[in-house]
Amino acid sequence: MFGRTSKSMLLAGAVFAFSTLVYSAHAALPEDTDKRLDQVNLAQTHPVAQELQKSFSKKHLRRNFHAKREAAAAKLFYENRSFLPAWLYKGKLTTSALSVIKKLQAADEEGLTATDYLAPASDFNADGKATPEQIAAAELELTHSILKYAEDAQTGRISPRAISKDISLRPERPDPIEALTKIAGSANPSVVLAAFNPPHAEYKALKEQLAQLRQQTRSGELEKQVVIPAGKLLKVGVKSRRVALLRERLNVPTVPSQTNVYTQDLAYAVEAFQAKNGLHPDGTVGPRTLLSLNGRVFGDPIKDVIANMERWRWMPRDLGETHLRVNIPEFMVRLNMEGFVIYETRVVVGKRSNKTPVFSDKMQHVIVNPYWNVPYSIASKELLPEMRASDPHSYLRKGNYEIVYGGKVVDPRRVNWDAVTFKQIRIRQRPGRGNALGKIKFMFPNKHNVYMHDTPSKSLFNRSERAFSHGCVRVQNPFEFSDALMATQGAITGNYIRSLVGKKQTQVNLQNDIPVHISYFTAFVDEAGKLQRRPDIYGYNQAIMDALNL
């Protein structure tokens, strides 16, 4: 009875096993399998989908890496939707597509060029006669322009490294698949596309200025700007026809007999202009003040604004709720917290032959009573020739320097100064009198070996143009600056930092790192909503304008 199995029982068992297998296989399939199968079937019978699939199967040997990356992303995007169009339905542009096209056509408002982003006409295929191939081409044209806009808006059209090796900002490219998916799946795709532009308030303020400048150009207002010719220094008591133009420029009226006389009230107006424009407020009009007065004439402000908007695309999108920003052409550093400037002071930056690099990093500690480890280039090109021309021992003693070899201080009289190089020994300046770094330095370790520091050369801060350093950033009021920084640190106070002065070299680690952005903006909008422009001291602005063919 138990040794034999009937045919009916075997058949029943087989049916049960087969049913279980089918059920298990069905249970293992994704929940959207039916939907996917429907899409595959639809794609196989959808002429436009077939044309899209066909277009991605063609080989394009001449594509560069960037184009290949974009094509691969677009292919995956369409594969995920079974090559069904994203922007056209039944051969016509969708409402979402039309809103995206409108944003592309308004690219000039963002300082971009609308003609760079080709798109189908809004009435594409109005007569319904477009072929599947033409519809697919229109679809891909819009996809390409969306990807190009997203990348141009977020990272800029010009690579920072193409402008200078001293600009080490590396903007992050948007993920093309993520960008397409997010835009195509949004109820407000044009808003999503616009969000690839910089989110910074400074960028948005420049965008508003760009619109105003273009309006002023159309109305002829920019051409009415008063131009003050070059000439001798203008100061109180001077008589010149140029004074009348200066009065007109600053809107300072006077009696007819005093029109060409530089009076005290005009000097006060000049001082106010100078203070507002980052110049030394002495009430006299020299070359630098004249350049600022004529700023809107010497150089197209529209081109200037567009080039500066381009540089904002290079900046980190999140600057930090609390952050420091040095603006090189303005010779200023500001501590920002929650969108407000809580402290600012003048700085000295690198001269043209020793440019301060443009980059972002984080301040981690400060050093009070610092040694100055003289950089190799300064030691070999500047100090060594001076030492050889005199008595090295006396020179070092007078400058408060010492020689370090193998990590130990050595007697300079033991050094053969006619044969030595600073690859063999190191020279450093002791803390205290005359130290080039002053009494404190602010460290944000970086590959450029650049930092902010105090300086014994205080007179340079009275200059309007302050590009004198070897690349580091000198701070005018370092302990006021320290007070402001320590106010963000909790337990560490500015008074504690001050109490360390005059003692041994001491490193104080910050409790919270502070993002530092060394930036380069020749055009920006001040708190009063006025466009401010500064000289292009390193030539970066002109290089960007040339690269953009402005």
Side-chain angles (χ1 to χ4, degrees):
M1 175 176 173
F2 296 101
R4 296 184 180 181
T5 304
S6 67
K7 291 182 179 180
S8 59
M9 290 181 67
L10 287 172
L11 181 60
V15 170
F16 176 77
F18 180 74
S19 300
T20 302
L21 179 63
V22 171
Y23 176 80
S24 300
H26 180 75
L29 291 173
E31 293 180 2
D32 62 347
T33 297
D34 292 339
K35 181 180 179 181
R36 288 174 178 268
L37 290 173
D38 289 342
Q39 284 185 333
V40 171
N41 293 332
L42 181 60
Q44 291 174 347
T45 59
H46 197 294
V48 176
Q50 290 177 356
E51 289 296 333
L52 287 171
Q53 188 172 19
K54 191 186 302 181
S55 68
F56 287 110
S57 65
K58 298 176 183 178
K59 291 185 177 181
H60 300 275
L61 299 178
R62 295 185 179 181
R63 281 179 174 166
N64 59 28
F65 173 80
H66 184 68
K68 289 179 179 178
R69 176 177 178 267
E70 179 188 293
K75 180 180 180 182
L76 184 56
F77 170 71
Y78 281 104
E79 280 180 349
N80 289 339
R81 51 187 297 113
S82 300
F83 292 99
L84 295 178
W87 319 114
L88 293 102
Y89 180 69
K90 294 185 177 179
K92 306 290 179 63
L93 290 165
T94 64
T95 302
S96 293
L98 291 171
S99 71
V100 167
I101 291 172
K102 187 176 180 180
K103 178 57 64 177
L104 295 176
Q105 292 172 340
D108 289 355
E109 297 175 4
E110 302 285 354
L112 301 172
T113 304
T115 53
D116 287 344
Y117 313 105
L118 302 178
S122 58
D123 61 350
F124 172 78
N125 197 22
D127 58 6
K129 294 182 180 179
T131 65
E133 186 176 3
Q134 291 171 328
I135 295 171
E139 169 80 15
L140 292 178
E141 180 180 59
L142 183 52
T143 294
H144 169 74
S145 291
I146 289 171
L147 286 175
K148 179 171 174 54
Y149 182 99
E151 181 153 324
D152 288 353
Q154 181 166 311
T155 65
R157 292 164 288 176
I158 307 301
S159 169
R161 73 189 84 188
I163 299 302
S164 172
K165 63 180 178 58
D166 294 313
I167 305 176
S168 59
L169 295 171
R170 296 294 178 262
E172 184 179 353
R173 296 181 183 276
D175 183 286
I177 299 174
E178 183 179 325
L180 285 174
T181 303
K182 193 173 182 180
I183 294 168
S186 173
N188 296 296
S190 62
V191 174
V192 176
L193 183 61
F196 284 94
N197 287 291
H200 316 99
E202 296 90 340
Y203 171 86
K204 294 175 181 178
L206 285 175
K207 178 182 174 181
E208 291 180 8
Q209 286 292 324
L210 179 61
Q212 292 177 24
L213 289 168
R214 284 172 170 161
Q215 176 58 39
Q216 290 171 5
T217 299
R218 288 191 290 269
S219 65
E221 290 180 48
L222 282 182
E223 283 67 28
K224 297 176 184 177
Q225 177 74 40
V226 176
V227 182
I228 304 168
K232 295 182 179 180
L233 183 74
L234 294 178
K235 58 183 180 179
V236 174
V238 168
K239 294 182 179 180
S240 170
R241 294 179 182 178
R242 296 165 63 226
V243 174
L245 293 172
L246 179 61
R247 289 186 179 280
E248 185 181 354
R249 171 70 177 83
L250 296 178
N251 193 26
V252 180
T254 188
V255 295
S257 61
Q258 297 287 306
T259 299
N260 293 333
V261 179
Y262 200 110
T263 54
Q264 188 61 55
D265 61 334
L266 183 56
Y268 290 145
V270 170
E271 285 182 17
F273 175 85
Q274 290 170 325
K276 185 178 180 181
N277 287 272
L279 303 168
H280 181 52
D282 59 5
T284 63
V285 178
R288 183 74 194 278
T289 298
L290 187 65
L291 179 64
S292 189
L293 285 164
N294 290 334
R296 289 197 172 196
V297 178
F298 296 105
D300 186 341
I302 291 179
K303 294 179 181 179
D304 196 8
V305 168
I306 291 174
N308 279 269
M309 292 173 74
E310 180 76 1
R311 286 197 293 285
W312 270 109
R313 304 182 197 283
W314 300 347
M315 296 290 286
R317 292 178 79 82
D318 182 5
L319 299 178
E321 188 174 279
T322 298
H323 68 270
L324 283 165
R325 187 159 71 82
V326 174
N327 189 20
I328 294 171
E330 194 184 1
F331 310 109
M332 293 292 291
V333 61
R334 294 181 176 88
L335 176 61
N336 298 269
M337 181 180 290
E338 298 179 355
F340 295 95
V341 175
I342 63 172
Y343 182 79
E344 65 179 22
T345 190
R346 293 184 169 199
V347 297
V348 170
V349 300
K351 49 193 173 185
R352 290 169 179 81
S353 58
N354 297 94
K355 298 179 179 67
T356 296
V358 178
F359 68 102
S360 293
D361 221 299
K362 291 184 178 181
M363 185 178 292
Q364 299 177 353
H365 62 271
V366 301
I367 297 178
V368 188
N369 311 310
Y371 279 92
W372 179 40
N373 293 300
V374 182
Y376 172 79
S377 60
I378 298 176
S380 58
K381 295 178 182 178
E382 298 180 25
L383 269 61
L384 187 57
E386 293 177 2
M387 292 166 64
R388 286 173 172 167
S390 62
D391 174 26
H393 180 64
S394 298
Y395 181 93
L396 292 169
R397 186 177 65 253
K398 184 178 179 180
N400 200 25
Y401 294 110
E402 62 186 17
I403 301 300
V404 178
Y405 175 74
K408 296 181 179 180
V409 176
V410 298
D411 188 335
R413 288 171 293 194
R414 296 176 56 192
V415 178
N416 181 355
W417 291 104
D418 292 326
V420 75
T421 70
F422 283 107
K423 289 183 178 179
Q424 300 165 305
I425 61 173
R426 182 162 54 88
I427 183 171
R428 71 181 183 184
Q429 192 175 34
R430 301 180 189 91
R433 60 179 177 81
N435 185 285
L437 306 184
K439 299 174 181 177
I440 186 171
K441 64 178 179 177
F442 306 88
M443 304 300 292
F444 37 103
N446 56 82
K447 68 178 184 179
H448 305 285
N449 196 27
V450 163
Y451 43 87
M452 299 184 203
H453 64 87
D454 182 18
T455 175
S457 305
K458 301 294 186 182
S459 62
L460 295 178
F461 292 108
N462 294 325
R463 304 281 189 93
S464 293
E465 181 171 319
R466 299 185 289 278
F468 299 106
S469 82
H470 286 84
C472 285
V473 179
R474 305 175 191 171
V475 181
Q476 182 178 24
N477 299 304
F479 286 99
E480 289 182 8
F481 183 57
S482 172
D483 290 343
L485 294 177
M486 297 312 139
T488 71
Q489 295 300 304
I492 307 174
T493 66
N495 286 336
Y496 171 68
I497 298 297
R498 291 170 186 266
S499 72
L500 300 173
V501 175
K503 301 176 182 178
K504 65 178 182 179
Q505 175 173 289
T506 305
Q507 177 173 318
V508 180
N509 295 326
L510 300 183
Q511 291 174 299
N512 305 302
D513 292 352
I514 301 175
V516 177
H517 308 286
I518 311 293
S519 63
Y520 190 94
F521 293 104
T522 58
F524 55 92
V525 180
D526 64 19
E527 293 179 354
K530 301 292 184 181
L531 178 65
Q532 297 289 330
R533 299 173 68 194
R534 298 291 183 269
D536 183 18
I537 61 171
Y538 292 167
Y540 295 160
N541 208 56
Q542 186 60 52
I544 291 173
M545 289 192 285
D546 292 343
L548 293 174
N549 296 314
L550 295 177

